[in-house]
Amino acid sequence: NDSARLMLGLDKTPAPGRRIQQLDDYPVLKALLDRCLGESEAAEDMLSIAEQMLKVSVVPLYGEHNKLVIGAIIVMQDFTERMRYEEMRRDFVANASHELKTPIAAIRGFVETILDDPDMPPTTLSQFLTRTRKQVERLNNIVQDLIDLSRFDSGGGGTLVKQPVELNALIQASFEDKADDAVRARIVFSKRLNARPVYVSGDVDGLRQMISNLLDNAIKYSEADGRVEISLELDQDTGGALIRVTDSGMGIPREDQQRIFERFYRVDRARSRDAGGTGLGLSIVKHICQAHDGTVELTSRIDHGSTFTVTLPTLPEHR
Ligand code: ADP
């Protein structure tokens, strides 16, 4: 049928009338068919065509009155997406375990050193305990981010509680939350709100988390005396809400700009780690945006800074 021809890439060469055994490009298909017809038994295998992965099942077809095999039915299912998800899942588990193992190994090292040296001077002991606490905090950050990720990714989207949320108020609250962090990092932190209320249908915790992650990054990846600004305005054309977080920090190389939204991807591993990063923050941002039918975009120049723009659909009755 048409779907099979499309899947096998036969749409250009007319296939009807051609025997499957004549399709020289697909030895797997021929072997399966021969096995099924020869042994009167169903057979199954994966067939890889260009970028596609097909699961092929061949089932014998019996005559009406006797048990003779008179043919076979071939069912092909496109498994490309499923295999890709499976690979992503495996990568994710491998990455997450690796991220968790690093602080665990460090904590184990510190604790063993302390246990091995009962006469350790109190100042050294205190240093080891401080370093242990830092690693425990890191473990806690990773686990908390993993929980958030599973809550907000597309599979967990059902757990969001949406209600009308006024964004000026939300941004004002986030601004106040981060003011101390900005002072500590000696960052000039400012906000620009919209003159009129802006309502979206959203999950308050999710939206707050999204803004918090963007502000944390803007502060984290800026030098002292840098500037960070959060602003809210309406898109003139679409009426959507535009939340922008702009920093004058280190910027993001062009080749990394797409990838930083991936789980555990960091431009500078050491810097992220030193700043308490997990590599999951932006991936959580992306999932929260998607769960609100929004988008997140980035413009950035090395040594000049970055702007993350979140666009969210507004509630029509509040426009
Ligand atoms: P992390 O916990 O490492 O900050 P994120 O997912 O929040 O993880 O960000 C991924 C990476 O993107 C960071 O490690 C950093 O390299 C880069 N990044 C994110 N935000 C900024 C920013 N405002 N300026 C420069 N680099 C940034």
Side-chain angles (χ1 to χ4, degrees):
N1 65 6
D2 286 347
S3 306
R5 274 171 41 204
L6 218 64
M7 280 169 142
L8 294 172
L10 297 171
D11 46 335
K12 287 180 200 80
T13 44
R18 274 172 79 190
R19 298 189 68 80
I20 287 179
Q21 274 89 345
Q22 293 172 320
L23 300 180
D24 295 327
D25 290 345
Y26 306 109
V28 174
L29 201 60
K30 276 163 72 174
L32 274 177
L33 196 59
D34 288 345
R35 201 163 91 210
C36 172
L37 293 175
E39 298 170 16
S40 309
E41 242 177 36
E44 215 172 73
D45 207 344
M46 298 305 288
L47 176 63
S48 139
I49 303 175
E51 305 279 281
Q52 280 187 110
M53 260 315 212
L54 303 181
K55 182 178 169 197
V56 185
S57 315
V58 188
V59 191
L61 196 61
Y62 293 97
E64 218 173 306
H65 301 299
N66 51 35
K67 293 224 159 109
L68 285 181
V69 173
I70 57 164
I73 296 179
I74 303 177
V75 178
M76 293 189 293
Q77 281 173 282
D78 192 343
F79 261 52
T80 320
E81 276 289 282
R82 209 180 292 188
M83 302 278 275
R84 211 169 55 84
Y85 277 123
E86 189 51 31
E87 194 183 319
M88 271 169 59
R89 196 189 60 79
R90 270 199 306 269
D91 282 355
F92 176 67
V93 172
N95 285 333
S97 325
H98 177 77
E99 296 289 334
L100 291 168
K101 265 181 92 169
T102 316
I104 289 173
I107 292 167
R108 176 186 278 161
F110 297 145
V111 171
E112 278 168 3
T113 312
I114 294 169
L115 285 176
D116 285 348
D117 184 2
D119 302 322
M120 187 180 278
T123 46
T124 319
L125 178 64
S126 167
Q127 277 167 5
F128 273 112
L129 289 176
T130 307
R131 284 155 81 178
T132 306
R133 184 173 61 192
K134 189 158 179 224
Q135 294 300 324
V136 171
E137 274 162 15
R138 192 169 143 205
L139 263 185
N140 190 51
N141 288 346
I142 299 172
V143 172
Q144 188 55 53
D145 277 358
L146 287 173
I147 292 170
D148 290 338
L149 198 59
S150 77
R151 176 160 179 237
F152 295 120
D153 81 2
S154 34
T159 59
L160 297 187
V161 185
K162 288 196 185 163
Q163 60 187 48
V165 178
E166 206 284 301
L167 290 180
N168 281 302
L170 193 80
I171 289 174
Q172 175 67 34
S174 308
F175 178 78
E176 287 167 13
D177 276 353
K178 300 293 171 195
D180 285 348
D181 292 347
V183 169
R184 231 171 285 133
R186 292 208 277 128
I187 301 283
V188 181
F189 186 26
S190 60
K191 63 171 192 305
R192 231 167 1 102
L193 300 179
N194 195 57
R196 303 243 312 269
V198 178
Y199 282 90
V200 298
S201 167
D203 178 287
V204 179
D205 291 343
L207 294 174
R208 190 174 291 156
Q209 169 97 54
M210 178 180 82
I211 296 169
S212 164
N213 287 6
L214 291 175
L215 287 176
D216 280 344
N217 282 349
I219 295 172
K220 242 169 23 187
Y221 300 109
S222 293
E223 304 300 336
D225 299 325
R227 278 171 289 109
V228 170
E229 183 183 79
I230 179 160
S231 68
L232 171 66
E233 59 188 302
L234 289 180
D235 187 315
Q236 299 290 339
D237 299 326
T238 64
L242 298 175
I243 303 171
R244 280 203 184 89
V245 174
T246 302
D247 65 64
S248 62
M250 58 198 289
I252 300 163
R254 186 169 281 277
E255 62 271 23
D256 296 305
Q257 291 185 7
Q258 286 300 318
R259 300 207 62 193
I260 54 167
F261 293 96
E262 291 173 18
R263 295 162 180 185
F264 297 117
Y265 190 85
R266 292 117 150 172
V267 179
D268 180 345
R269 223 152 237 283
R271 171 145 188 169
S272 154
R273 202 162 277 167
D274 282 349
T278 61
L280 291 173
L282 285 179
S283 149
I284 294 170
V285 167
K286 191 181 82 183
H287 285 296
I288 295 174
C289 277
Q290 284 171 348
H292 287 85
D293 302 318
T295 55
V296 54
E297 278 164 29
L298 160 68
T299 51
S300 184
R301 265 177 70 204
I302 288 289
D303 294 335
H304 283 78
S306 311
T307 297
F308 286 85
T309 306
V310 171
T311 307
L312 298 174
T314 45
L315 283 174
E317 63 267 36
H318 297 288
R319 264 179 205 157

